Amino acid sequence: MPRYLCWPQDEVRLGRGLAGWQPALSRAELPLAMTLAGVTCLLAELGPADETRIVQAFEGLSQHSVYLRFMRAKQHPTADQVTFFLHYPRDKQISLLLSDSLGEPLAQAQSIRRRLHPDRAEFSCIVADHFQHRGAGRRLLLALAILARGEGIREWTAEVLAQNRPMLALLKSLGLPLTLVTGRELIFVRLDLSALDPLLARPGRTQVDGSPRQRGPKTKGE
């Protein structure tokens, strides 16, 4: 029988996740340079130009990581799957890629607006095996959540394998209001993004540590 588990907003955890960096409030503020676990990183929107390196990054994932994220055995991605990740309607989807200073992908996350409930979106996240347990998942999901909320998404939903304990721990670490509906094999997740409204409304934002904002290099057309 399903169980409902609820956690209220945790200001301490949310504050930890936002400490030491300045999130982008809109896509116009991307790409964004940052330091994570001592590594210089660049956060940018995923797009068609990233096809080669995103496919290579997928090939570098372990069977276990692929199964936890996609709930299936690892196979070479089809053309349709690559297109789904890279050629998406920007009014319905946000996809972010976190890379190191050499351009190697470290983590990827996406938020896809639901057609019948446009204030809700399905989200997902995956981190390269060698960069797991270093805070990348929390940083990336918070960055994505802020952008999604800025574009009108009130609630995130997802289905997570019950055995995916690292992902469940990551969701709790965000500090956002969280509801889990547990089943035998799958857990249905709901995150309330409206808790981020005070951050989006804050004037004259400054980085938590007082240092100036870091922005990535301008992309063509900016």
Side-chain angles (χ1 to χ4, degrees):
M1 186 173 181
R3 289 193 306 155
Y4 288 79
L5 304 174
C6 301
W7 287 265
Q9 181 173 342
D10 189 323
E11 293 286 355
V12 174
R13 286 182 172 179
L14 181 57
R16 288 173 184 165
L18 294 171
W21 66 292
Q22 182 68 68
L25 299 191
S26 72
R27 303 190 209 206
E29 297 183 20
L30 297 173
L32 186 68
M34 62 181 68
T35 300
L36 182 59
V39 177
T40 300
C41 303
L42 189 69
L43 181 66
E45 190 170 6
L46 188 67
D50 300 307
E51 179 173 344
T52 299
R53 59 183 183 144
I54 204 68
V55 171
Q56 290 177 345
F58 177 83
E59 297 292 358
L61 292 169
S62 67
Q63 293 275 2
H64 185 64
S65 290
V66 170
Y67 178 71
L68 291 181
R69 163 61 180 87
F70 297 99
M71 304 182 193
R72 60 172 173 79
K74 182 179 177 181
Q75 298 175 338
H76 184 77
T78 66
D80 287 344
Q81 289 169 336
V82 173
T83 297
F84 173 79
F85 271 93
L86 302 177
H87 300 266
Y88 52 86
R90 298 180 81 252
D91 61 324
K92 297 181 177 65
Q93 183 171 337
I94 309 173
S95 292
L96 296 181
L97 181 66
L98 184 71
S99 305
D100 64 17
S101 59
L102 299 178
E104 293 297 322
L106 300 174
Q108 185 268 338
Q110 61 188 19
S111 173
I112 304 175
R113 191 186 300 269
R114 297 178 64 177
R115 182 173 61 86
L116 297 180
H117 303 279
D119 62 339
R120 301 176 187 173
E122 297 179 4
F123 74 98
S124 61
C125 175
I126 191 165
V127 180
D129 288 67
H130 72 278
F131 209 66
Q132 292 177 8
H133 310 296
R134 302 179 71 176
R138 180 170 67 173
R139 178 73 59 88
L140 186 57
L141 279 181
L142 283 175
L144 183 64
I146 291 167
L147 292 175
R149 181 56 184 154
E151 296 187 7
I153 299 300
R154 177 182 56 83
E155 182 179 89
W156 261 359
T157 63
E159 288 184 336
V160 177
L161 286 170
Q163 62 183 278
N164 194 351
R165 295 186 181 277
M167 184 61 175
L168 296 173
L170 168 60
L171 296 176
K172 293 177 185 177
S173 76
L174 298 178
L176 299 173
L178 172 66
T179 301
L180 302 180
V181 182
T182 66
R184 180 174 298 179
E185 296 182 356
L186 289 176
I187 295 177
F188 180 75
V189 176
R190 288 201 306 258
L191 283 167
D192 183 0
L193 302 192
S194 65
L196 297 168
D197 288 354
L199 176 67
L200 292 166
R202 188 180 304 163
R205 298 173 304 134
T206 57
Q207 190 153 295
V208 176
D209 61 6
S211 60
R213 176 181 178 79
Q214 298 182 70
R215 221 187 140 199
K218 287 183 176 290
T219 57
K220 186 175 180 181
E222 282 193 287

